[in-house]
């Protein structure tokens, strides 16, 4: 088998009603995404009194993005990984999806068993910079593959830190605003 025999194709779903998590970098920010109130991050800032729920939503988003990266590099093909190449907040689409809670009451859903709740949904988008790479080169040496995957892990870590920092700063601004009212 040649290259084409070992590669699966990928079809991306059409996403409606989603918004980018952040704006693309500007000449002032160089390589940093631009976070502003009203961006996709606002989906985690629904209620000033329920920060634990919002943090759980934020962590779920970051975990789903980590799983997307793992899928691209490890699961999609035994022989090839897919480097996204642009794993940044401006390429993360955030939307809301309805879920039905379990029929039994649990502490996780605040006793809302069997009810429809809105949950955030994160999708990695824009595969324009992506490319396939062989997981194992000559003599089963996977140094190149580890370096490529490591670059995306680093990008995910930076994205995670940016979002946690933005989230906490937004909460501080809201708290200060409500203290003066």
């Amino acid at each position: 088998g040649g290259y084409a025999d070992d590669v699966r194709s990928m079809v991306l779903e059409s996403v409606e009603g989603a918004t980018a998590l952040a704006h693309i970098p500007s000449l002032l920010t160089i390589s940093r995404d631009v976070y502003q109130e009203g961006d996709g991050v606002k989906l985690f800032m629904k209620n000033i009194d329920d920060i634990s729920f919002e943090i759980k939503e934020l962590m779920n988003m970051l975990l789903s993005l980590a799983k997307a990266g793992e899928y691209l590099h490890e699961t999609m093909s035994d022989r090839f990984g897919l480097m996204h190449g642009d794993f940044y907040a401006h390429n993360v689409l955030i939307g809301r999806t309805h879920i039905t809670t379990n029929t039994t009451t649990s502490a996780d859903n605040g006793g809302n068993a069997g009810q429809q709740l809105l949950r955030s949904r994160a999708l990695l988008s824009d595969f324009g910079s992506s490319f396939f790479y062989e997981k194992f080169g000559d003599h089963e040496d996977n140094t190149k593959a580890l370096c490529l995957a490591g670059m995306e892990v680093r990008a995910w870590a930076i994205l995670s830190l940016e979002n946690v920092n933005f989230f906490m700063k937004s909460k501080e601004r809201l708290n200060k605003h409500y203290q003066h009212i």
Side-chain angles (χ1 to χ4, degrees), residues 87-130:
F87 204 119
Y88 299 103
H90 64 273
N91 287 328
V92 174
L93 299 178
I94 300 294
R96 290 291 211 178
T97 187
H98 289 277
I99 65 159
T100 303
T101 60
N102 292 335
T103 55
T104 58
T105 303
S106 91
D108 287 343
N109 61 29
N112 296 324
Q115 294 181 356
Q116 286 281 319
L117 298 175
L118 280 174
R119 288 286 193 242
S120 300
R121 181 174 181 217
L123 299 169
L124 186 59
S125 67
D126 190 354
F127 284 77
S129 297
S130 65

Side-chain angles (χ1 to χ4, degrees), residues 27-89:
L27 289 175
L28 294 175
T29 64
I30 307 298
S31 63
R32 303 276 40 103
D33 284 317
V34 179
Y35 293 87
Q36 298 174 349
E37 295 291 340
D39 288 344
V41 178
K42 72 182 176 184
L43 294 174
F44 303 109
M45 295 183 232
K46 303 180 319 171
N47 181 349
I48 189 72
D49 299 322
D50 193 5
I51 194 167
S52 63
F53 172 77
E54 295 169 11
I55 288 174
K56 187 183 290 187
E57 288 284 291
L58 179 61
M59 299 311 275
N60 285 337
M61 176 200 70
L62 297 173
L63 180 60
S64 72
L65 292 173
K67 287 179 180 178
E70 178 185 35
Y71 176 79
L72 295 176
H73 288 275
E74 295 297 324
T75 311
M76 194 171 71
S77 168
D78 291 335
R79 183 174 169 198
F80 297 100
L82 180 65
M83 178 81 171
H84 183 272
D86 202 10
F87 204 119
Y88 299 103

